[in-house]
């Protein structure tokens, strides 16, 4: 899988935007205003994704290409290698999982914004 495939997949989800809030190389995908996927374009071999804590540990035990995300709370964020033993369909499911984990934690205001969008 490559970063363009990740980008296209993320942007087709409801209420997703992309931007560079930290610097000019760290691409961040947000649903409403909450991050769910992060990629460093200088080293576009990895993406960071939010994950349910127990599932995050399980994934790290099964795949060499999944580890605690650098610069993030490793309890909730995994770093996933795009070219590794992690199958492409699983990477897409993990993007979905991250997106859903973020939506589950929305405030009422964020939920209202999300539901008002097409």
């Amino acid at each position: 899988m490559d970063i363009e495939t990740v980008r296209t997949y993320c942007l087709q989800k409801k209420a997703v935007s992309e931007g560079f809030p930290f610097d000019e190389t760290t691409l961040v995908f947000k649903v409403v205003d909450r991050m769910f996927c992060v990629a460093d374009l200088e080293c576009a071999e990895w993406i960071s994704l939010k994950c349910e804590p127990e599932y995050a540990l399980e994934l790290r035990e099964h795949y060499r290409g999944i580890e605690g995300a650098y610069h993030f709370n490793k309890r909730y964020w995994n770093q996933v290698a795009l070219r590794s033993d992690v199958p492409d369909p699983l990477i897409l499911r993990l993007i979905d999982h991250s997106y859903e984990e973020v939506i589950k934690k929305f405030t009422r205001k964020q939920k209202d914004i999300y539901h008002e969008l097409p």
Side-chain angles (χ1 to χ4, degrees):
M1 180 163 299
D2 60 42
I3 196 63
E4 271 307 311
T5 303
V6 169
R7 181 177 179 267
T8 300
Y9 191 75
C10 288
L11 290 175
Q12 69 186 356
K13 296 186 161 303
K14 181 178 178 175
V16 170
S17 62
E18 65 180 335
F20 294 89
F22 304 119
D23 56 41
E24 53 281 335
T25 63
T26 306
L27 178 60
V28 176
F29 297 95
K30 294 181 178 183
V31 53
V32 180
D33 60 356
R34 307 261 321 259
M35 293 190 314
F36 74 96
C37 181
V38 178
D40 182 351
L41 298 181
E42 285 186 318
C43 178
E45 301 296 317
W46 296 84
I47 57 173
S48 296
L49 300 168
K50 190 151 190 164
C51 193
E52 187 277 321
E54 288 182 26
Y55 187 41
L57 292 174
E58 181 182 320
L59 289 164
R60 292 175 204 166
E61 289 175 8
H62 285 87
Y63 297 98
R64 289 185 320 275
I66 299 178
E67 57 190 55
Y70 186 66
H71 287 310
F72 286 91
N73 182 332
K74 288 165 183 42
R75 179 177 173 160
Y76 297 101
W77 287 83
N78 275 339
Q79 184 169 286
V80 180
L82 298 178
R83 295 188 178 119
S84 67
D85 63 330
V86 184
D88 288 356
L90 177 57
I91 293 172
L92 297 177
R93 285 196 310 272
L94 293 175
I95 292 170
D96 294 340
H97 176 72
S98 181
Y99 179 86
E100 291 161 9
E101 284 295 298
V102 168
I103 290 172
K104 283 195 311 191
K105 304 289 185 189
F106 273 177
T107 63
R108 177 170 297 286
K109 182 179 178 181
Q110 289 167 327
K111 286 177 188 173
D112 290 345
I113 292 167
Y114 180 80
H115 291 298
E116 288 175 8
L117 295 170

